[in-house]
Amino acid sequence: MVGPSSSHTAGAVRIGLVAHRIARGKIKRAEITLYGSFAQTGRGHGTDRALIAGILGVEPDDARVKHSMLLAKSENVDIKVNYSSEETEHPNTARIHFVTEAGREFSLVGVSIGGGNIEIVEINGMEVSFNGDYPTIIAFYRDMPGIISKVTALLAWRNINVAFMKVFRNAKRQDACMVIETDAFVSNEELREIARMVGEIKEICAV
């Protein structure tokens, strides 16, 4: 791990890496907002640089974490960092809004809970919960009967075992999100196949 802090540095890199993996391609620009302790001590602990490193796909133990701002400039990735005084439920909170080169737009909120561990608590305004310890599929769809069974059947057909699964929704028959943690990584090809065969899925990605 590149220090100085497991929560403010390593955890922040991991939050950024979730954005990198959701993007499924190069991120063109990103806006990061830090809250609580992240905002108050983020500069000294390198939280801003750590989040940028993760967004660029740099791992927590990579020496380039410290030089991520220069790396972003060299890769022509436009990144803005804001420091907010707004109160949040957890002190080590970061919001990342980003746009990919393909024009796909996302936002996520992550918290660093100590020891380099994280929890993602929101994606695109939808409340979620996962920690990135397992390969994770995130699928957005319109809540209706049969969607969950279709997706899990396709995973079974691919011999991909589901370790944990949670479903979130804003309201009945409205926008919903499946978070499926699996024992094996799911490829982009497999994700595209799931999206094609389950036409109701609006967006699917893996982290």
Side-chain angles (χ1 to χ4, degrees):
M1 178 198 98
V2 174
S5 167
S6 61
S7 59
H8 284 63
T9 312
V13 174
R14 291 192 64 203
I15 293 171
L17 278 169
V18 172
H20 172 78
R21 290 165 183 161
I22 287 175
R24 299 204 322 262
K26 185 176 179 181
I27 291 176
K28 182 179 180 180
R29 63 180 182 273
E31 183 170 357
I32 300 167
T33 304
L34 304 180
Y35 301 89
S37 180
F38 266 8
Q40 295 160 12
T41 64
R43 289 185 179 92
H45 284 122
T47 305
D48 48 0
R49 295 190 298 275
L51 284 159
I52 292 169
I55 288 170
L56 298 175
V58 176
E59 296 288 340
D61 58 353
D62 193 316
R64 292 178 298 167
V65 168
K66 296 179 180 179
H67 310 292
S68 62
M69 292 182 176
L70 291 174
L71 184 61
K73 186 175 182 180
S74 69
E75 294 186 4
N76 294 316
V77 181
D78 181 21
I79 300 182
K80 179 182 179 181
V81 182
N82 304 311
Y83 300 85
S84 175
S85 59
E86 180 184 342
E87 291 188 7
T88 54
E89 185 173 343
H90 194 283
N92 298 335
T93 299
R95 178 182 296 275
I96 305 174
H97 178 267
F98 60 96
V99 180
T100 71
E101 282 194 332
R104 297 163 68 239
E105 190 169 352
F106 294 91
S107 66
L108 67 84
V109 177
V111 299
S112 179
I113 58 179
N117 299 305
I118 66 167
E119 182 182 7
I120 303 301
V121 297
E122 181 185 307
I123 297 180
N124 290 352
M126 176 76 68
E127 177 187 341
V128 299
S129 177
F130 65 92
N131 57 26
D133 289 344
Y134 285 81
T136 304
I137 301 168
I138 306 160
F140 291 91
Y141 61 101
R142 185 173 180 83
D143 180 41
M144 57 193 306
I147 306 302
I148 295 171
S149 62
K150 288 180 182 178
V151 172
T152 53
L154 286 168
L155 292 174
W157 180 61
R158 284 282 191 174
N159 201 33
I160 295 170
N161 191 50
V162 173
F164 305 98
M165 181 176 181
K166 297 177 183 177
V167 177
F168 305 87
R169 65 180 186 179
N170 290 330
K172 184 178 179 180
R173 300 299 177 93
Q174 298 299 316
D175 289 340
C177 176
M178 265 182 272
V179 175
I180 306 171
E181 296 173 287
T182 61
D183 289 337
F185 184 76
V186 180
S187 69
N188 286 338
E189 177 187 350
E190 289 166 326
L191 291 176
R192 286 191 292 269
E193 181 180 23
I194 292 171
R196 179 177 60 82
M197 298 185 74
V198 185
E200 296 85 353
I201 290 179
K202 300 176 180 180
E203 181 73 50
I204 189 167
C205 55
V207 300

